[in-house]
Amino acid sequence: MAGVLRGVVLAGLWLAAGAAAAAEERVDLDMVAKIRQEAFARSQVAANLKELTETVGPRLTASPAYVRSTAWARGKLQGYGLANVREEVFDPAFGRGWEYRSSRVEMLAPREMPIHAAPKAWTPGTRGAVEGEVVKVALKTSEDLGKHKGTLRGKIVLLDDARAYKPADRPDFRRHTGESLGELQTFPVPAEAGDDAQEKRLAEYRKRQAFSRELNTFLQEEGALAALSISSWDNGILRVTGAASRKAGEPTGVTELVLAAEHYNQLVRAVERKQDVRLRLDVDAGFTSEEDLPAANVFADLPGAGKADEVVIIGAHLDSWHTGTGASDNGAGVVVMMEAMRILKAIGAKPRRTIRLALWGGEEQGLHGSSNYVARYLADWPEPTDPEQKALPRAFQRGTGPLQRQRGYERFSTYFNFDNGTGRIRGIYAQENHAAVPVFKAWLEPFHDLGAEIVSTRNTGSTDHIAFDRVGLPGFQFVQDPADYMSRVHHTHLDTYDHVVPEDLKQAAAIIASFAWHAANREQRFPRKPFRDRDE
Amino acid sequence: MAGVLRGVVLAGLWLAAGAAAAAEERVDLDMVAKIRQEAFARSQVAANLKELTETVGPRLTASPAYVRSTAWARGKLQGYGLANVREEVFDPAFGRGWEYRSSRVEMLAPREMPIHAAPKAWTPGTRGAVEGEVVKVALKTSEDLGKHKGTLRGKIVLLDDARAYKPADRPDFRRHTGESLGELQTFPVPAEAGDDAQEKRLAEYRKRQAFSRELNTFLQEEGALAALSISSWDNGILRVTGAASRKAGEPTGVTELVLAAEHYNQLVRAVERKQDVRLRLDVDAGFTSEEDLPAANVFADLPGAGKADEVVIIGAHLDSWHTGTGASDNGAGVVVMMEAMRILKAIGAKPRRTIRLALWGGEEQGLHGSSNYVARYLADWPEPTDPEQKALPRAFQRGTGPLQRQRGYERFSTYFNFDNGTGRIRGIYAQENHAAVPVFKAWLEPFHDLGAEIVSTRNTGSTDHIAFDRVGLPGFQFVQDPADYMSRVHHTHLDTYDHVVPEDLKQAAAIIASFAWHAANREQRFPRKPFRDRDE
């Protein structure tokens, strides 16, 4: 992008950048060269991603495979010679273990046809093959439940309407263009949202959660065989997350399956033309524990010298959903962040601040691993007393008083996250931290030749940097090429190794190693944006 | 497209078009208006396509569902009041019946994982669940078979290498643009191909067929459990046709499955990293007859008055592959052609020539239904005596003497085919029949407002009009929007009703009804292109 870097001054091997108002930002080009060489010539990203996704497999938090994945990560990190490699439980009772092994769904009538389907996480399997009649009933409200009470024993319930096929109007895999990167460098002035927009959203969320539990109980008491939903994407893609039955003691509901849209629609049409529709289900999936299990984050340090108690964190979530192998979401982030640490260690980097790797759990269920870490070590609001509030993931809770800062709050430098699939880094979102803009511009300069150029002042959300950002600490995600993240792989059975581009991950690892190094060795603490507490 | 129609002369309700050299081509705009009204206001295409694809199901030639489909079509056509509704066997021993009911493929080791797969047609099922070790061996030549003899008992064999993911660089669903239609209006001068290019292709084909039989025998004698291939398209799409075991007496080989690329690649990588890879297979599919069964085309007539023994044929193939429901390939063509007949009958059309509907079988295995019809009623070369030649589908055979013309040859008018999925008609391929160009231009003129505008002088192939074209008779396919035919649905498990756009089929039915009408009522016989016999 033209015009991204104005006022760059070359000074020997050091490079200074920034607008007139910003202090000179020093960039260590010797270190950049070492990092790039290690990242490109001796990369471990592809080998690690294959191991993580195909030997360990998909990693639903608190599942047996998740436990295997934390051990796998510790082993690798210890092998790299990093310090303080450790697991730390972020929730002693995250939820019950659950596992998906296989499933078979067959239409028996009006004709025989195999159906592509996968179970929602934390729903029970069928314990062998079961058969039942398919019915379609609207179960959207408590009144709906009352209306159909006593009618669903042994039935397989279609929860959704048929949905018309919506062909994609863009290629399924995309790189950013000059135009789309230009667009990201504009800041959309926030529209009027109303003071209670956030409250309304949370109320919606609570209502959905509550009804989901009510529906689970209802279907279970009815003795329905299973509940079927349509995948949210077309083209046979199974896009599957979980159901509201993670915690011991909650109603588990019945077997819940997400069907390929092309198959689901056929069932709806057959029912609507009053045909007798029967399915056979054999879902080998289910809980692996009666009780709630603990879930842990994994950490490893490259200890600082000089400012060792100040910390730069780089992280990604280790957990995944269960139908693919969690390659783009977020095996990619995991191996990139592990690789950034490996690179720094391998080239003998001695940072002033401590550089910490964090591999988070429970991200997919609401940033649990990262926000519990932030609450414990950096800052949090007093725990809510309202049971409705307590039931929310911590990242959504509204505290009962002003933010309580821990000792680590002032010593914290910055957090970098990677969680948008395979796409190459094209820049970074500054999250409205304007003092960070010239810093990032300077740090990106030696990576322009790799396509990483822009600093967007925009906010981006939906992953673990938000756990930091919400308490006023610098936490960032990168601008990545869209690739096929939101067209093919996000939470789908296609989220597998083949959809990842190893070269992109090598680029990301180099950039993040360099960002971590520069944050750790910066003279000043990383700049913060103004923070206004929610109750101020 | 600008410039498509030059020299149009409006003459009352009649419209004449064509370049100076062409005779005036009369277009009956009254009839066009009636046809369009019937096609748009009382369309049966969507209802018929749903019935055909979802009540009858996919229609592998000679399968029980294919037999149901011919009965279904006859019932509908009789209901429309058409004459001479009949089935006619085009091959008394087409092949064994075969049916696909369901399948389950599970990876058991190195970890449990469900695998998306579907069997190739005419391969045996597993008769219950079987388990075996996965091995990867190159079986490309007779020497390969010798090398691995005695090593494959109870094994599941990976036949293909892993394949890198190839992201699409275009949207999965496309309409033609001015540019792409312009391109189709240029004629690429044929490149030098060498005199024996066709001979070489056929030799390749025969070699492949022969090796396929040899491989089947080998795997069967070895006692291998199954042979697995990678789907030819990515994104979880199962693209599946048949294996070379259709005929009674031929070796059936072993269970053959096509796997989603994302799953197949995982197996290859696991084997290559020397992990113990085990699968459980349970494929409920297989032969429904021991002996070869007959297969039939379906016909219905709108009898002509005046030139009743001259005939215009419109057709599409009724058969399909088995993993989807055969909606785009070629349920779409079937219901469009049935609808064109229904429209003409419903508006009381009294053509001079007979308009005949043909629904062909065996298209997917080599244009069997159409080329056998052409051979019987129109023209053919003397049957070859060379057994290698005899083994080829008729459309590929090289006759032993000059073309033998039947009585019907001279009385034949023209054939229109529809077999490129849901895509709207944008024009027609003239197959180098330059005398047909002004005729088509005139006939298309009242459909410009529906996007049908161009006449391409190019040839297009791969479907039933070739059965006519190859004996020197006019046979045509339309230029259609690409839609998602070659990106999602062609021979795949996604070839289902939802991927069809009913509005496109209504447009096609109107245009084809009008083309059939104008061909039937034309003063002169439809123009033919110069025909040079293969042995002349």
Side-chain angles (χ1 to χ4, degrees):
Chain A
M1 293 307 297
V4 172
L5 257 184
R6 272 190 290 265
V8 170
V9 182
L10 288 165
L13 272 177
W14 291 79
L15 188 147
E24 185 180 277
E25 188 66 31
R26 291 162 73 87
V27 178
D28 184 343
L29 294 183
D30 256 350
M31 195 51 117
V32 167
K34 283 184 194 163
I35 287 171
R36 288 175 59 138
Q37 200 171 67
E38 182 68 26
F40 297 161
R42 287 172 288 280
S43 178
Q44 296 294 312
V45 293
N48 279 347
L49 188 61
K50 273 186 253 190
E51 281 187 31
L52 177 62
T53 58
E54 301 192 350
T55 301
V56 176
R59 303 163 301 283
L60 188 73
T61 303
S63 71
Y66 185 77
V67 174
R68 289 200 300 274
S69 76
T70 59
W72 173 86
R74 274 192 291 108
K76 286 281 165 188
L77 297 168
Q78 273 154 355
Y80 298 158
L82 295 168
N84 307 323
V85 175
R86 63 201 182 276
E87 291 187 21
E88 192 174 290
V89 169
F90 63 82
D91 188 337
F94 179 80
R96 297 170 66 183
W98 188 90
E99 204 170 52
Y100 171 37
R101 291 170 294 268
S102 83
S103 61
R104 177 180 198 152
V105 179
E106 301 160 86
M107 184 162 77
L108 304 174
R111 60 187 181 83
E112 289 178 287
M113 179 180 80
I115 285 178
H116 284 191
K120 291 189 185 175
W122 293 295
T123 66
T126 55
R127 298 166 190 274
V130 296
E131 293 183 19
E133 183 197 347
V134 175
V135 297
K136 183 166 179 294
V137 287
L139 298 175
K140 309 276 185 205
T141 63
S142 303
E143 296 71 55
D144 289 341
L145 305 190
K147 210 164 71 185
H148 296 286
K149 199 168 161 61
T151 66
L152 300 179
R153 172 154 304 276
K155 297 288 196 280
I156 296 167
V157 183
L158 300 176
L159 294 176
D160 294 321
D161 292 332
R163 188 186 67 228
Y165 174 58
K166 198 160 168 288
D169 53 4
R170 299 194 293 198
D172 60 11
F173 188 103
R174 289 183 304 121
R175 299 283 183 189
H176 269 301
T177 60
E179 193 182 354
S180 62
L181 288 174
E183 170 69 18
L184 284 178
Q185 287 172 275
T186 64
F187 187 84
V189 176
E192 290 294 299
D195 289 341
D196 54 354
Q198 170 73 353
E199 279 306 297
K200 273 188 183 157
R201 266 200 305 279
L202 284 180
E204 261 315 305
Y205 174 87
R206 281 193 300 265
K207 205 173 129 189
R208 256 195 334 267
Q209 293 289 105
F211 180 70
S212 174
R213 269 188 297 273
E214 190 183 343
L215 178 60
N216 278 356
T217 308
F218 171 78
L219 291 171
Q220 210 173 329
E221 286 176 358
E222 281 286 301
L225 269 192
L228 312 187
S229 308
I230 188 169
S231 175
S232 55
W233 287 352
D234 294 323
N235 290 311
I237 295 173
L238 298 174
R239 194 159 190 241
V240 189
T241 61
S245 54
R246 189 172 87 231
K247 294 280 188 182
E250 285 186 356
T252 59
V254 297
T255 302
E256 280 199 65
L257 294 164
V258 172
L259 271 65
E262 283 83 354
H263 292 160
Y264 187 90
N265 286 347
Q266 292 190 51
L267 297 183
V268 173
R269 285 191 290 265
V271 166
E272 286 176 351
R273 69 173 83 96
K274 312 278 184 220
Q275 289 178 312
D276 174 40
V277 183
R278 291 184 65 78
L279 297 185
R280 184 189 293 135
L281 313 174
D282 186 354
V283 181
D284 184 11
F287 295 99
T288 60
S289 75
E290 285 301 317
E291 69 288 1
D292 288 335
L293 299 179
N297 300 319
V298 175
F299 299 98
D301 292 348
L302 190 61
K307 299 188 174 194
D309 59 347
E310 297 186 22
V311 64
V312 173
I313 308 183
I314 63 176
H317 71 86
L318 183 57
D319 67 301
S320 76
W321 289 109
H322 56 290
T323 60
T325 60
S328 286
D329 190 12
N330 190 10
V334 169
V335 302
V336 160
M337 291 306 186
M338 286 171 64
E339 177 75 355
M341 295 299 280
R342 187 195 68 75
I343 291 168
L344 290 170
K345 181 69 188 176
I347 62 174
K350 307 282 182 218
R352 294 172 68 191
R353 295 184 182 81
T354 293
I355 300 174
R356 176 164 300 153
L357 168 72
L359 302 178
W360 313 113
E363 192 270 352
E364 297 293 4
Q365 293 75 41
L367 320 183
H368 289 276
S370 55
S371 51
N372 285 3
Y373 174 88
V374 168
R376 187 178 303 169
Y377 296 107
L378 299 173
D380 199 16
W381 289 270
E383 211 181 337
T385 46
D386 175 4
E388 278 207 343
Q389 280 285 335
K390 283 183 78 151
L392 294 174
R394 190 181 288 270
F396 304 141
Q397 287 174 1
R398 188 175 183 83
T400 51
L403 186 70
Q404 309 292 309
R405 290 165 178 82
Q406 308 285 337
R407 240 173 87 101
Y409 192 85
E410 289 308 319
R411 295 186 180 157
F412 180 79
S413 165
T414 182
Y415 173 73
F416 295 112
N417 195 70
F418 190 86
D419 184 21
N420 272 301
T422 189
R424 186 167 286 216
I425 290 180
R426 308 303 301 274
I428 191 163
Y429 291 99
Q431 302 280 140
E432 294 188 72
N433 182 336
H434 295 276
V437 172
V439 178
F440 286 146
K441 285 186 175 177
W443 293 356
L444 281 173
E445 211 284 340
F447 297 98
H448 284 199
D449 63 337
L450 292 167
E453 299 192 87
I454 74 156
V455 180
S456 170
T457 51
R458 294 188 184 192
N459 293 291
T460 190
S462 301
T463 179
D464 293 302
H465 68 294
I466 291 299
F468 297 83
D469 185 74
R470 67 193 277 270
V471 299
L473 291 174
F476 303 98
Q477 267 260 116
F478 294 87
V479 174
Q480 295 178 244
D481 278 332
D484 59 357
Y485 196 61
M486 291 309 294
S487 64
R488 296 286 170 253
V489 300
H490 184 250
H491 298 178
T492 80
H493 82 291
L494 297 181
D495 185 5
T496 58
Y497 177 77
D498 292 295
H499 285 251
V500 171
V501 182
E503 295 69 32
D504 288 355
L505 303 190
K506 292 179 192 177
Q507 184 249 26
I511 291 171
I512 291 167
S514 179
F515 269 49
W517 168 260
H518 284 94
N521 283 48
R522 201 171 187 271
E523 207 44 54
Q524 301 83 21
R525 195 180 66 175
F526 195 88
R528 299 184 179 185
K529 66 183 173 186
F531 175 67
R532 187 165 168 219
D533 200 353
R534 289 183 286 189
D535 289 314
E536 278 169 17
Chain B
M1 295 306 299
V4 171
L5 257 184
R6 272 189 292 265
V8 171
V9 183
L10 287 166
L13 271 178
W14 291 79
L15 186 147
E24 186 180 275
E25 189 65 33
R26 290 162 74 87
V27 178
D28 184 344
L29 294 182
D30 255 349
M31 194 51 113
V32 166
K34 282 185 195 161
I35 287 171
R36 288 176 58 140
Q37 200 171 68
E38 183 67 26
F40 298 161
R42 287 172 287 280
S43 177
Q44 296 293 312
V45 292
N48 278 348
L49 188 61
K50 273 186 255 189
E51 280 187 32
L52 177 62
T53 59
E54 302 193 348
T55 302
V56 176
R59 304 164 300 283
L60 189 73
T61 303
S63 71
Y66 185 78
V67 174
R68 289 200 299 274
S69 75
T70 59
W72 173 86
R74 275 192 289 108
K76 287 280 165 187
L77 297 167
Q78 272 155 355
Y80 298 157
L82 296 167
N84 307 324
V85 175
R86 63 201 182 278
E87 291 188 23
E88 191 174 289
V89 170
F90 63 83
D91 188 337
F94 178 81
R96 297 171 65 183
W98 189 90
E99 203 170 52
Y100 172 36
R101 292 170 292 268
S102 83
S103 62
R104 176 182 199 152
V105 179
E106 300 160 86
M107 184 162 77
L108 304 174
R111 60 188 181 81
E112 289 177 288
M113 180 178 81
I115 285 179
H116 285 192
K120 290 189 186 175
W122 292 296
T123 67
T126 56
R127 298 168 190 275
V130 295
E131 293 183 19
E133 184 197 347
V134 176
V135 296
K136 183 166 178 294
V137 287
L139 299 176
K140 310 275 184 205
T141 63
S142 302
E143 296 72 54
D144 290 342
L145 304 189
K147 210 164 71 186
H148 296 286
K149 199 167 161 60
T151 66
L152 300 179
R153 172 154 304 278
K155 299 288 196 280
I156 297 166
V157 183
L158 300 176
L159 294 176
D160 294 321
D161 293 331
R163 188 186 66 228
Y165 174 58
K166 198 161 168 289
D169 53 4
R170 299 194 293 199
D172 59 12
F173 189 103
R174 289 182 305 122
R175 299 283 184 189
H176 269 302
T177 60
E179 193 181 355
S180 62
L181 288 174
E183 171 69 18
L184 284 178
Q185 287 172 274
T186 64
F187 187 84
V189 176
E192 290 293 300
D195 289 342
D196 53 355
Q198 169 73 353
E199 280 306 298
K200 274 189 182 158
R201 267 202 306 277
L202 283 181
E204 261 313 306
Y205 173 87
R206 282 193 300 264
K207 206 173 126 188
R208 259 200 327 272
Q209 293 289 105
F211 180 70
S212 174
R213 270 189 297 272
E214 190 184 342
L215 179 60
N216 277 356
T217 307
F218 172 78
L219 291 170
Q220 210 173 330
E221 286 176 359
E222 282 286 300
L225 269 190
L228 312 187
S229 308
I230 188 169
S231 176
S232 55
W233 287 352
D234 294 322
N235 290 311
I237 295 173
L238 298 175
R239 194 158 190 244
V240 188
T241 60
S245 55
R246 188 172 88 230
K247 293 280 187 181
E250 285 187 355
T252 58
V254 298
T255 301
E256 280 200 66
L257 295 163
V258 172
L259 271 65
E262 284 81 355
H263 291 159
Y264 187 89
N265 286 346
Q266 291 191 51
L267 298 183
V268 173
R269 285 191 291 265
V271 166
E272 287 177 350
R273 68 173 83 97
K274 313 277 184 221
Q275 288 178 314
D276 175 39
V277 183
R278 291 185 65 77
L279 296 185
R280 184 188 292 134
L281 314 175
D282 187 353
V283 181
D284 184 11
F287 295 99
T288 60
S289 75
E290 285 300 317
E291 68 289 0
D292 288 336
L293 300 179
N297 299 319
V298 175
F299 300 97
D301 292 347
L302 190 61
K307 300 188 174 195
D309 58 349
E310 296 187 22
V311 65
V312 172
I313 308 183
I314 63 175
H317 70 87
L318 182 56
D319 67 301
S320 76
W321 289 110
H322 55 290
T323 61
T325 61
S328 285
D329 190 12
N330 189 11
V334 169
V335 302
V336 160
M337 291 306 186
M338 287 171 62
E339 177 75 355
M341 295 298 281
R342 186 195 68 76
I343 291 167
L344 290 171
K345 180 70 187 175
I347 63 175
K350 306 279 182 220
R352 295 173 67 192
R353 295 183 181 82
T354 293
I355 299 175
R356 176 165 300 154
L357 169 72
L359 302 177
W360 312 112
E363 191 271 353
E364 297 292 3
Q365 293 74 42
L367 321 183
H368 289 276
S370 54
S371 50
N372 285 4
Y373 174 87
V374 168
R376 187 177 302 169
Y377 295 107
L378 300 172
D380 199 17
W381 288 270
E383 211 181 336
T385 47
D386 175 5
E388 278 207 343
Q389 280 285 334
K390 282 184 77 150
L392 294 174
R394 189 180 289 271
F396 305 142
Q397 288 174 0
R398 189 175 182 82
T400 51
L403 186 69
Q404 309 292 309
R405 291 165 177 79
Q406 308 284 338
R407 241 174 86 102
Y409 192 86
E410 290 308 318
R411 296 186 178 155
F412 179 79
S413 165
T414 183
Y415 173 72
F416 295 112
N417 195 69
F418 191 86
D419 183 21
N420 272 300
T422 189
R424 185 167 287 216
I425 290 180
R426 307 304 300 274
I428 192 163
Y429 292 100
Q431 302 281 137
E432 295 188 72
N433 182 337
H434 295 276
V437 172
V439 178
F440 287 146
K441 285 186 176 176
W443 292 356
L444 281 173
E445 210 283 340
F447 297 99
H448 284 198
D449 64 337
L450 291 168
E453 299 192 88
I454 74 156
V455 180
S456 170
T457 50
R458 294 189 184 193
N459 292 291
T460 190
S462 302
T463 180
D464 293 302
H465 67 294
I466 292 299
F468 297 83
D469 185 75
R470 67 194 278 272
V471 299
L473 291 174
F476 303 97
Q477 268 259 117
F478 294 87
V479 174
Q480 295 178 244
D481 278 330
D484 60 356
Y485 195 61
M486 291 308 294
S487 64
R488 298 285 170 253
V489 300
H490 184 250
H491 299 178
T492 79
H493 82 290
L494 297 180
D495 185 5
T496 58
Y497 177 78
D498 292 295
H499 285 251
V500 172
V501 181
E503 294 71 29
D504 288 355
L505 303 190
K506 291 179 193 177
Q507 184 249 27
I511 291 171
I512 292 167
S514 179
F515 269 49
W517 168 259
H518 283 95
N521 283 46
R522 202 170 186 271
E523 206 46 52
Q524 300 83 20
R525 194 179 66 175
F526 194 88
R528 298 183 180 187
K529 65 183 172 186
F531 174 67
R532 184 163 168 222
D533 200 353
R534 289 182 285 188
D535 290 313
E536 278 169 19

